[in-house]
Amino acid sequence: MLVKLVEVFKPQGDRVHLDEIHVSPSAVTTIRREPSSPLLSEAMTLGLTEGVQFSRITIIEGASARSVVVIGSPEELRQKLNKRQLLRD
């Protein structure tokens, strides 16, 4: 099962972009709150709701790992990534 998240990223020399990514919950190893930064301030100019929270997740991809910033609080992401487990309880 893949979970759809929205990534916030900024290619070098370009503006901030939002893009959907699909992540396997088993590939996510960490979720932590992302503090305010110029990247997130610029992302807010794209029409995001005031008060939206951001998190940084680490994703294992084969023998390497990458870190991405996504929209949502750590708690919201945990709930999305663990949805299947909640249905089994």
Side-chain angles (χ1 to χ4, degrees), residues 2-73:
L2 296 177
V3 176
K4 182 172 68 171
L5 302 175
V6 178
E7 178 183 13
V8 179
F9 67 101
K10 183 174 185 173
Q12 189 170 353
D14 202 354
R15 299 176 351 171
V16 167
H17 296 278
L18 302 178
D19 197 18
E20 289 182 355
I21 59 172
H22 294 85
V23 178
S24 170
S26 63
V28 176
T29 59
T30 61
I31 304 171
R32 70 174 187 267
R33 187 180 68 78
E34 182 70 4
S36 278
S37 69
L39 170 75
L40 301 183
S41 295
E42 189 176 339
M44 292 303 293
T45 66
L46 298 175
L48 297 175
T49 306
E50 186 151 338
V52 69
Q53 294 183 11
F54 300 91
S55 297
R56 181 172 295 274
I57 63 173
T58 303
I59 303 167
I60 299 297
E61 296 177 324
S64 64
R66 75 177 174 123
S67 179
V68 297
V69 175
V70 295
I71 294 176
S73 70

